Amino acid sequence: MSSDLFIKTIRKLTLAITYFSLTFTLLSCDSSSNEPSPSPTPKPVFKLPSSIGIVGDTSNVNAPSSFGTVLMGGSTDVDAAMKWMINKSKGGDVIILRSTGGTGYNQYLYDLVKVDGKSQVNSVETLLINSIELANNPKVAERIKQAEMVFIAGGDQSNYINYWKNTLVEDALNYLIATKKIPIGGTSAGCAIMGEALYTAEKGSVTSDQALTNPYNVDMTLQRDFVNNPYLKNTITDTHYNNPDRKGRHFTFLARLMKDFSIATPKGIGVEEETAVCIDENGKATVFGIGSAYFLIAKEGAPENCTTNTALNWVLNKKAVQVYTIVGNSTTGNGNFDLTNWTAVSGGTTKNMYSTNGVLTIE
C-alpha cells in the first residue's frame, strides 16, 4: 500500500470514530433531557368532616363581630339583610349550615360586599351536617365556633332538629350567641328553628285549617329549647307567611304554647317570602325586603277552648292575640319593633287576631 493511500485510510477511520462518538454523545444528551424531573412529594390536605366547599382564605381569622339575628321568610334571599350580617361580621369567616343541598351560598356571599374589589369576609364555607355523628364531631363543632357569621339554609327543619338538637352543633350555636356574640340567621327551615319554641314538621306540614279545626292535629308537633336567643324567648317563628296556610296555624301554635308549655304570653314572628327581620344587638327589629313581617303576642289570656278534635275558640273580647305588621324596604329597611319588651315603635300597623269555632279573624 502506498503512503498516500495509507494516510487517506487513517483519516477515514479517524473521521468515522469521531462521528460515532459525537452521535453517541448527542443521543445521550437527548435521552437525559427526556427524563422527568423529580416531583415534590404531595402533602396530605386535611378536609374537615362535613365541609363541602370553601371560598376565600382557608386560614382562620379572629374578627370583632357584633351580635345580630336575621329571620328570613324563604324564597329569594334578601341581599340587604345578608349585607347587614356581613357588616356585623367585621371581615371574619362565614359558615353556612345545612343538611341537604350544595355550596350555592359560598361565592354569592363572598362577592356580595366588596371594598376596592376586596371581599369584606375572609371566607365562606358550607358544612353539610346530615347525621347525629357529624353533629357530634368535635372538629365540626370547633369549626362552627370559629365563625364570625353563621347562616342556616332552607330545607327541612325536622332534619335540623333530628340531627343537631342535643349535640355539639347545638352547643356551638348557643356559644356563638351567648359568648362570642356573632350575627346568626336562617331562611325558611333555618328561620323556623331560631325561636325558643319551634314547630318541628316531623310528621308533615300542618295547614291553618287543620290546626284551627283541631289544635292537636297529629302534624302539630312542637318543641322548645334548641337555639337560645335572648330576644326570641317564648317565641315561635313561621315563614312563607304570604301563604294563606301560615297565619292560622301560627296563631294556633301560640295557643298550644300557652296550654302545653305554661307560657303566659307566647309570642310569634311570621315572615313573608323575600323578606327578612333583622334584630340588632339591642333587640331592635327592622324589616328588609319586599314583603311584610308580623309580630304576634298573646295579650288577654288562655283560650276558651283548646282541646283535641275540637275547633279552637280563642276570642277574649276579640283581642286574643295582638299583631303588629311592618312592610319591609329592600334597601334601607323599615319600621322598628322592640323585642326587649315586645312593643311597637314605628313604621307598622296594629290589629287583633282571634278564632271563633276554628275560623280566624284579623281586624
Side-chain angles (χ1 to χ4, degrees):
M1 177 183 295
S2 68
S3 60
D4 289 340
L5 181 59
F6 177 78
I7 291 171
K8 289 180 180 179
T9 302
I10 294 298
R11 285 177 177 173
K12 288 180 179 179
L13 288 171
T14 302
L15 287 171
I17 293 169
T18 302
Y19 177 79
F20 177 80
S21 298
L22 181 59
T23 302
F24 180 80
T25 301
L26 290 172
L27 288 172
S28 298
C29 290
D30 287 343
S31 176
S32 65
S33 67
N34 288 332
E35 286 292 324
S37 59
S39 299
T41 303
K43 295 181 180 179
V45 178
F46 170 73
K47 183 178 180 182
L48 176 72
S50 79
S51 177
I52 58 173
I54 184 169
V55 173
D57 189 348
T58 57
S59 60
N60 180 48
V61 298
N62 293 307
S65 54
S66 61
F67 184 56
T69 307
V70 167
L71 305 176
M72 202 173 293
S75 187
T76 303
D77 292 307
V78 182
D79 288 350
M82 292 297 199
K83 291 176 181 178
W84 184 88
M85 293 184 76
I86 288 171
N87 289 334
K88 284 184 165 293
S89 75
K90 305 296 184 183
D93 294 306
V94 178
I95 294 291
I96 307 299
L97 297 180
R98 61 194 319 153
S99 63
T100 58
T103 59
Y105 278 107
N106 287 14
Q107 199 68 50
Y108 159 62
L109 290 177
Y110 190 77
D111 293 337
L112 190 58
V113 180
K114 289 187 175 182
V115 175
D116 296 328
K118 179 179 173 56
S119 175
Q120 294 305 287
V121 297
N122 185 58
S123 68
V124 185
E125 183 173 17
T126 296
L127 304 186
L128 183 71
I129 306 174
N130 56 6
S131 70
I132 295 174
E133 289 74 22
L134 279 175
N136 271 321
N137 187 303
K139 293 178 180 177
V140 174
E142 184 59 30
R143 182 69 183 112
I144 295 171
K145 291 168 73 173
Q146 290 174 342
E148 280 74 39
M149 170 179 157
V150 165
F151 191 76
I152 304 172
D156 184 342
Q157 64 246 44
S158 67
N159 286 337
Y160 295 155
I161 295 161
N162 292 332
Y163 295 148
W164 303 353
K165 196 169 187 288
N166 301 317
T167 69
L168 294 180
V169 166
E170 177 186 314
D171 294 342
L173 290 173
N174 288 322
Y175 163 82
L176 293 175
I177 292 170
T179 303
K180 196 171 180 180
K181 298 185 184 302
I182 71 162
I184 185 169
T187 185
S188 192
C191 172
I193 65 170
M194 298 296 287
E196 183 192 31
L198 54 150
Y199 169 57
T200 70
E202 59 193 296
K203 293 184 179 180
S205 182
V206 70
T207 67
S208 286
D209 183 64
Q210 290 169 335
L212 288 164
T213 55
N214 179 12
Y216 287 85
N217 182 288
V218 67
D219 294 330
M220 285 282 291
T221 49
L222 305 175
Q223 290 187 21
R224 63 184 303 179
D225 297 326
F226 181 14
V227 178
N228 296 318
N229 189 314
Y231 297 126
L232 298 177
K233 188 173 178 61
N234 297 329
T235 302
I236 188 166
T237 63
D238 208 356
T239 57
H240 305 279
Y241 220 68
N242 38 324
N243 184 327
D245 273 338
R246 299 302 166 113
K247 294 181 179 67
R249 76 177 195 179
H250 201 195
F251 176 87
T252 310
F253 292 163
L254 300 191
R256 285 282 306 276
L257 292 180
M258 182 177 284
K259 184 171 181 181
D260 298 350
F261 297 98
S262 300
I263 298 174
T265 54
K267 308 171 184 69
I269 299 177
V271 192
E272 291 185 349
E273 294 178 355
E274 300 184 59
T275 307
V277 176
C278 294
I279 307 166
D280 69 15
E281 64 273 20
N282 299 312
K284 302 300 190 296
T286 300
V287 182
F288 290 84
I290 65 173
S292 299
Y294 302 76
F295 301 85
L296 285 64
I297 181 169
K299 300 290 288 186
E300 294 292 320
E304 291 91 341
N305 186 13
C306 179
T307 56
T308 305
N309 296 322
T310 304
L312 176 64
N313 270 310
W314 195 11
V315 182
L316 299 179
N317 300 314
K318 300 183 179 181
K319 296 179 180 179
V321 170
Q322 185 181 87
V323 55
Y324 190 69
T325 305
I326 298 175
V327 179
N329 180 288
S330 293
T331 53
T332 61
N334 182 50
N336 194 332
F337 192 88
D338 189 346
L339 295 179
T340 63
N341 54 20
W342 275 78
T343 57
V345 179
S346 64
T349 57
T350 301
K351 293 185 178 182
N352 293 306
M353 305 174 75
Y354 59 93
S355 172
T356 307
N357 296 322
V359 177
L360 180 69
T361 301
I362 305 175
E363 61 183 19

